[in-house]
Structures are given as C-alpha cells and as structure tokens.
Amino acid sequence: MHLFPLNLNYSFILHAHSHIAMLGWAYLMIYVLIVRFFIPKVKREKPFYNRLFWLTEFSVVGMMIAFPIQGYALFSIVFSTMHIILSYVFCLRIWRDSSEEKTEAQKLLFVGISCMVFSTFGVWCLGPALNMLGKQSPFYQIAIQFFLHFQFNGWFLFAVLALFLKQFEGKIDKRDFKIFFTLLITATLLTFAFPGSWYLKNGLLSWMNAFGVILQMIAFVYCCKMLKPQISIFKCNLDIPAKAVYTLAICSLFFKIAIQLLVLIPDLNEVSHQIRNLIIGFIHLTTLGIITGFLFGILIQNNLISGKSSFVRLGIKSFILGYVMTEFLLLLQGIFFYFEKGMISYYYYESIFLMSIFIITGLILILLSLFKIKKQGLIN
C-alpha cells in the first residue's frame, strides 16, 4: 500500500494480518501438534478435538473476512470473542486429557496454556477501559500490551519449547531443566515491565525489566547446557531443511535476547517503541523466526512435511531468504531513523515488497508439497 494506490483501509488490513498470523497460523498449528504429541492416541481419536479445531477455524475465517471490511467492530469482535472462548475449552481439555506423568515438556506446556488464558484478561479489560478512559489512556494501552506479551513470550514461546523438548524426553538433566524453567517463568513475568514502562513512568519498571532480561539470558544458558549432550545425536537425524529452520529459530531466539539486552540502554529504551520499523522487525523476529522456525522444524522432523520433497527444500530456502532480508531491511531502516539519517534508499518500500514475495513463495511451495503428497495417497 506504500507502492500502489489501493482503495483499502490500511489499519483494517493490518488488524486482519496480525489476528490471522497469531490466531490462525501460530495458534492452529500449535493446537494440532499439542494434540498429536501430548494427548494419548485413544483420547485424540475421539471426534472432540476435530470438531473443536473446525469451530476454531470458523472463528479465524470470520476474522479474516470481518477485519478487512470493518476493523474492530461488531462481527470482528464476535469472532475474536468466539476464538477466546474456544481456546478456554481447548485449555481445559488439554489439562484433563494429557498424560498424568508430568514430564519436562508437559510442565512447559502447562505454563504456556496458563499464559494463554492469563493473556486474555487484557482483552476483557479493553471494553471497560475504552468506555471509561478512552483509547489513549495508559490503562487501555497496557491492556493491549498485556495480551501481546503473554501471547508471544508466554503462550507461543512456552508451547513451541514444549514441543521441541518433547523430542528429548527422558534425556535431559532434571536439575538444569528446573533452573531453566524457574528462571524463564520469572523472566516472562518481569519483562512485562518493559511495555508497561512506555505508559507508566516509574524507575522501578526499568529495573524489573532489566532483572527479567538478565534472568532470561541465564535461563537459556542453562537450556543450552541441558541440551548440549544430546545435540550432536539430534542433529544427525535431521534432514537439511529441518536443520535450516531449527538453526533459524535458535539464531532468532538469541538475537531476540540480544536486542532485549540492548534496549536496557536508556536512550534505546526510549525510542524502541517509537520507531515503527524496529517494532515490526522485532515482532517478525518472534513470529517468523522463532515460532515459525520451531514449528517448521517439528513438522519436518516428524515427517508431517517431507524434508525430501524438492518443493519443501526450495520453499524453505525461499522463506528463509525472504525472512532474513526483510528483517535486515526493517532493522537497518530503524537504525537509520535512530541516527536521524533518513531513508536508507529511495527503493526501501520496493525492496521490502520484493523480499516479502520470497516469504509468500516459500509458503506456497510448502503448501503445494502437501497437496502433492495427498494426491499420491501418501498421507491421510
């Protein structure tokens, strides 16, 4: 829309994009993998999970139609609310049906679904905040950030880590895991102080965030220590595409931690939420890099997507190229704005557009590989 005169409401399209990315792609893929890996076969073969999935899909399609037409209004709010209520049903069922043996992966999963429920408290606060205080009030803005923080850094991150660690069940040091687990939960709670500090000026919030970011870094040091004895064997059993997307996810995770450490610098803290390119870059780092990277890795590793398919191999390469280049351009432009250097190029928006095509192309190729396998009757 920066390039062509399209008769569309940019804000409405943006709402549709963010909701479908989170509640469509990330939520539904995690849903499927949790049911597959954490629910005993006897229970998952009952029609409940299938019906709940398609009801949830219906709410996503409703948002996909309603948001571009009307933005936040009656029908989009109805479908969004429907999705939240269905997610509560999903959480309750997972608590009930998952194995009674509390493995390390299950502990991460339970924290993840708890964060999902917890995050929705922010959504329920939006209506009263809007009516009583207005959209510009700190309370309204903090309620939005509360939802986003505990979705991205709570629900999604803990869920993909749970799915990833499921591959190492019974092979990791319990003491190292306990330290990692405790530190990561504490860090997730404390780092909410960062978006909170954008709207409430209090020095304590900055200290809380700094402590949380440091604890997060230590947590992932313990995670590396915990997995180190198993990594070489794990890598030997992976296809090249699985290695590529897992590498993407892990590099993105550590880059995210590095950025969070950088914004402890007061000047960077102040502008971090004012430069839009940096905000979008950071969100994409989490959604396209960490979450999507881990999900693709798990899918390929477990042959739910064939790592031997030429479509998948080319699709993964195209996706990674598009992701890396768009991230580079977004972050570089953000840095230029920070140093008041203006646009990096007259062709910045054209470059972003072209690099984004590689992401779309990669996803289409992966999708085509699934249709091809289905047609050949290799999956049911």
Side-chain angles (χ1 to χ4, degrees):
M1 293 183 75
H2 289 282
L3 302 178
F4 311 112
L6 300 176
N7 188 26
L8 296 169
N9 185 304
Y10 181 78
S11 177
F12 291 178
I13 297 294
L14 191 60
H15 288 319
H17 166 70
S18 58
H19 280 78
I20 303 311
M22 288 174 62
L23 307 180
W25 158 242
Y27 179 95
L28 291 175
M29 194 68 259
I30 290 170
Y31 178 114
V32 169
L33 293 174
I34 287 173
V35 172
R36 182 179 179 88
F37 292 113
F38 287 93
I39 302 302
K41 191 175 181 181
V42 176
K43 293 179 181 178
R44 73 169 180 260
E45 285 180 346
K46 293 178 180 178
F48 174 82
Y49 285 106
N50 194 46
R51 290 170 184 169
L52 182 62
F53 176 89
W54 288 111
L55 279 172
T56 308
E57 180 68 64
F58 175 73
S59 71
V60 171
V61 172
M63 285 185 277
M64 189 166 66
I65 295 168
F67 271 113
I69 295 170
Q70 60 175 193
Y72 274 105
L74 176 62
F75 289 106
S76 57
I77 291 171
V78 166
F79 286 118
S80 302
T81 305
M82 180 182 175
H83 193 288
I84 291 173
I85 293 168
L86 292 170
S87 72
Y88 290 166
V89 176
F90 175 65
C91 289
L92 287 170
R93 194 68 180 228
I94 293 298
W95 277 102
R96 197 185 82 176
D97 288 353
S98 58
S99 170
E100 292 180 4
E101 184 187 357
K102 297 297 181 284
T103 64
E104 288 79 13
Q106 268 189 305
K107 289 175 184 176
L108 284 168
L109 176 62
F110 289 160
V111 172
I113 61 177
S114 298
C115 284
M116 192 239 280
V117 174
F118 191 43
S119 73
T120 61
F121 296 168
V123 177
W124 300 125
C125 289
L126 290 177
L130 183 62
N131 288 328
M132 292 187 293
L133 303 168
K135 273 192 175 183
Q136 301 308 315
S137 67
F139 183 62
Y140 182 87
Q141 297 299 328
I142 287 171
I144 293 173
Q145 295 303 325
F146 184 89
F147 171 71
L148 294 174
H149 177 79
F150 286 103
Q151 281 277 312
F152 287 127
N153 299 301
W155 159 230
F156 290 143
L157 183 59
F158 276 87
V160 295
L161 288 174
L163 290 163
F164 181 62
L165 286 189
K166 186 72 175 172
Q167 326 294 320
F168 300 90
E169 207 155 70
K171 299 175 183 176
I172 55 180
D173 185 88
K174 292 185 182 298
R175 180 181 170 275
D176 286 343
F177 173 79
K178 188 175 180 181
I179 296 170
F180 160 68
F181 183 65
T182 305
L183 290 178
L184 189 59
I185 293 171
T186 309
T188 303
L189 293 169
L190 288 174
T191 50
F192 174 62
F194 179 61
S197 69
W198 299 345
Y199 307 102
L200 297 174
K201 298 302 176 185
N202 188 315
L204 180 61
L205 293 174
S206 297
W207 284 106
M208 286 172 64
N209 176 58
F211 189 46
V213 170
I214 291 166
L215 289 182
Q216 179 183 244
M217 181 182 68
I218 298 170
F220 281 105
V221 169
Y222 271 94
C223 184
C224 292
K225 182 173 178 281
M226 174 179 75
L227 295 176
K228 189 176 179 182
Q230 307 300 328
I231 286 297
S232 57
I233 300 170
F234 178 73
K235 284 166 62 179
C236 289
N237 297 320
L238 294 178
D239 290 330
I240 291 173
K243 284 181 184 176
V245 286
Y246 272 139
T247 301
L248 177 78
I250 292 164
C251 289
S252 297
L253 179 59
F254 283 102
F255 192 40
K256 173 182 177 284
I257 294 168
I259 290 173
Q260 287 177 288
L261 287 167
L262 275 175
V263 296
L264 295 181
I265 300 168
D267 283 351
L268 291 176
N269 186 336
E270 191 64 31
V271 301
S272 61
H273 64 288
Q274 296 171 353
I275 300 176
R276 188 170 182 79
N277 308 72
L278 295 179
I279 295 169
I280 297 170
F282 188 77
I283 292 170
H284 284 190
L285 184 69
T286 304
T287 53
L288 293 176
I290 301 169
I291 297 165
T292 302
F294 273 118
L295 290 176
F296 275 156
I298 293 159
L299 288 169
I300 296 168
Q301 183 189 352
N302 291 278
N303 210 33
L304 299 172
I305 293 176
S306 174
K308 295 179 173 60
S309 164
S310 57
F311 279 5
V312 169
R313 288 172 177 256
L314 187 57
I316 291 296
K317 287 177 184 177
S318 181
F319 173 82
I320 292 174
L321 175 63
Y323 163 72
V324 170
M325 290 307 299
T326 53
E327 279 296 288
F328 174 75
L329 290 167
L330 283 164
L331 296 174
L332 183 62
Q333 183 58 72
I335 291 167
F336 266 56
F337 282 149
Y338 174 71
F339 288 107
E340 299 180 349
K341 299 293 185 182
M343 299 295 292
I344 55 175
S345 166
Y346 290 114
Y347 299 105
Y348 169 72
Y349 291 114
E350 288 84 351
S351 301
I352 285 281
F353 178 76
L354 288 172
M355 290 302 108
S356 297
I357 290 173
F358 283 101
I359 297 175
I360 306 297
T361 303
L363 297 175
I364 290 170
L365 287 168
I366 293 167
L367 195 60
L368 286 173
S369 78
L370 291 174
F371 287 130
K372 186 178 177 183
I373 293 170
K374 180 82 172 178
K375 190 175 179 180
Q376 292 171 347
L378 300 177
I379 61 174
N380 54 40

